[in-house]
């Protein structure tokens, strides 16, 4: 067991899906996995392992923000030897052509987080997805008939950003704002693991479109399908 995951060794699969919302983890386990068993209830951050098309897959909630996902990913990589980690989360769109419920596959993550500066000081680091996972996810989206956009996101520490810093990144082709991918990609680089983020647009920051909490928990199935198909591929 690790500090925040009360699972014995071997209870977690090599490939793990990482929703921020633990109830989304529960939904995936109950609706997509066979013989799913709950291995973690610490802080109600649910984790499950089951099979998808005959292959073991785990799904672990991570909470909101880079400090929170950092805790779980550190423990999954360091204590449970997870090899593939795929975030399945939500984002706010800052692109007029990327609308609510659309899918964004993240190839790189900008960030305003002090986690970056604590590690690298005045140096810069470019957190990016694993190309193998990225390529497979995009191909799986096409096979599933799901329109998916590949583009960078912003992983911000601010949910309520009064300064609207996203406007600067928008000018450089960034399409979505979320709160976790940059730290996931950074830790994957550190531990020499594979990581990817697949996001569903839950709100549009410019057009002021929104989805409900229930929709975010149970209806964003496209990213779940893409992630599961990608997770089980060798």
């Amino acid at each position: 067991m690790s500090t925040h995951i009360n699972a014995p060794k071997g209870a977690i699969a090599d490939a793990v899906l990482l929703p921020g919302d633990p109830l989304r983890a529960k939904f995936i386990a109950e609706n997509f996995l066979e013989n799913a068993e709950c291995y973690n209830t610490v802080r109600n951050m649910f984790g499950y392992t089951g099979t998808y098309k005959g292959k073991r897959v785990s799904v672990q909630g991570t909470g909101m923000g880079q400090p929170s996902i950092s805790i779980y990913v550190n423990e999954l990589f360091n204590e449970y030897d997870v090899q593939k980690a795929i975030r399945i989360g939500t984002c706010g769109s800052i692109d007029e052509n990327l609308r609510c419920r659309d899918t964004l596959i993240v190839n790189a993550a900008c960030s305003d987080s002090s986690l970056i500066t604590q590690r690298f000081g005045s140096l810069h680091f470019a957190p990016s997805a694993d190309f193998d996972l990225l390529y497979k996810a995009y191909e799986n989206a096409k096979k599933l008939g799901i329109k998916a956009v590949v583009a960078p996101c912003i992983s911000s520490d601010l949910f309520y950003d009064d300064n609207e810093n996203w406007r600067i990144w928008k000018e450089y082709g960034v399409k979505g704002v979320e709160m976790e991918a940059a730290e996931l990609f950074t830790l994957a680089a550190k531990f020499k693991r594979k990581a990817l983020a697949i996001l569903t647009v839950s709100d549009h920051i410019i057009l002021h479109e929104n989805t409900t909490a229930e929709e975010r928990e149970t209806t964003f199935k496209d990213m779940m399908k893409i992630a599961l198909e990608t997770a089980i591929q060798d």
Side-chain angles (χ1 to χ4, degrees), residues 42-56:
V42 176
R43 296 174 177 255
N44 283 333
M45 199 59 69
F46 303 125
Y48 301 84
T49 296
T51 59
Y52 179 76
K53 296 186 176 180
K55 296 190 177 182
R56 290 182 83 226

Side-chain angles (χ1 to χ4, degrees), residues 127-143:
S128 56
D130 175 77
F131 179 77
D132 181 56
L133 290 183
L134 178 67
Y135 177 79
K136 288 174 179 175
Y138 184 69
E139 289 297 308
N140 285 326
K142 290 197 293 185
K143 290 176 185 177

Side-chain angles (χ1 to χ4, degrees), residues 18-20 60-76 85-88 115 178-185 187 196-197:
L18 302 173
Q60 172 65 56
T62 64
M64 291 187 289
Q66 293 182 80
S68 185
I69 195 174
S70 185
I71 290 171
Y72 291 97
V73 172
N74 264 289
E75 294 181 19
L76 288 169
I86 303 176
R87 166 163 157 69
I88 42 171
L115 292 177
E178 55 91 73
M179 303 184 74
E180 290 86 21
E183 178 66 3
L184 171 60
F185 294 168
L187 289 173
L196 180 65

Side-chain angles (χ1 to χ4, degrees):
M1 298 182 184
S2 63
T3 304
H4 300 90
I5 302 174
N6 60 345
K9 298 290 185 182
I12 301 176
D14 288 345
V16 180
L17 274 55
L18 302 173
D21 185 352
L23 292 179
R24 192 181 303 129
K26 184 173 185 288
F27 176 83
I28 293 167
E30 293 175 346
N31 290 274
F32 288 94
L33 300 184
E34 294 182 357
N35 303 312
E37 295 185 1
C38 181
Y39 64 74
N40 188 60
T41 58
V42 176
R43 296 174 177 255
N44 283 333
M45 199 59 69
F46 303 125
Y48 301 84
T49 296
T51 59
Y52 179 76
K53 296 186 176 180
K55 296 190 177 182
R56 290 182 83 226
V57 179
S58 294
V59 53
Q60 172 65 56
T62 64
M64 291 187 289
Q66 293 182 80
S68 185
I69 195 174
S70 185
I71 290 171
Y72 291 97
V73 172
N74 264 289
E75 294 181 19
L76 288 169
F77 285 167
N78 197 40
E79 301 293 334
Y80 295 96
D81 201 29
V82 166
Q83 298 298 310
K84 292 189 287 188
I86 303 176
R87 166 163 157 69
I88 42 171
T90 58
C91 70
S93 174
I94 54 174
D95 184 283
E96 289 80 357
N97 296 315
L98 189 66
R99 305 298 290 271
C100 282
R101 299 173 189 83
D102 286 349
T103 303
L104 174 64
I105 301 176
V106 178
N107 56 4
C110 308
S111 183
D112 58 16
S113 178
S114 64
L115 292 177
I116 299 291
T117 55
Q118 285 188 57
R119 289 190 180 96
F120 298 100
S122 62
L123 304 176
H124 296 276
F125 179 74
S128 56
D130 175 77
F131 179 77
D132 181 56
L133 290 183
L134 178 67
Y135 177 79
K136 288 174 179 175
Y138 184 69
E139 289 297 308
N140 285 326
K142 290 197 293 185
K143 290 176 185 177
L144 292 166
I146 298 169
K147 180 183 176 182
V149 174
V150 177
C153 75
I154 307 160
S155 298
S156 178
D157 282 350
L158 286 171
F159 185 86
Y160 298 105
D161 180 9
D162 294 334
N163 295 322
E164 296 188 336
N165 290 327
W166 56 267
R167 293 187 182 276
I168 300 172
W169 277 295
K170 174 179 167 53
E171 295 179 9
Y172 291 83
V174 175
K175 295 186 181 296
V177 182
E178 55 91 73
M179 303 184 74
E180 290 86 21
E183 178 66 3
L184 171 60
F185 294 168
T186 302
L187 289 173
K190 175 184 177 182
F191 286 96
K192 307 297 187 292
R193 309 299 164 85
K194 294 184 176 184
L196 180 65
I198 306 172
L199 309 175
T200 301
V201 177
S202 60
D203 60 285
H204 203 293
I205 296 173
I206 300 171
L207 302 178
H208 305 292
E209 298 174 346
N210 295 284
T211 57
T212 67
E214 183 179 0
E215 286 179 290
R216 294 191 294 273
E217 180 186 322
T218 63
T219 68
F220 291 172
K221 296 179 181 178
D222 284 352
M223 66 177 175
M224 301 174 191
K225 294 174 183 177
I226 297 169
L228 285 165
E229 292 292 333
T230 304
I232 64 172
Q233 287 181 272
D234 296 328

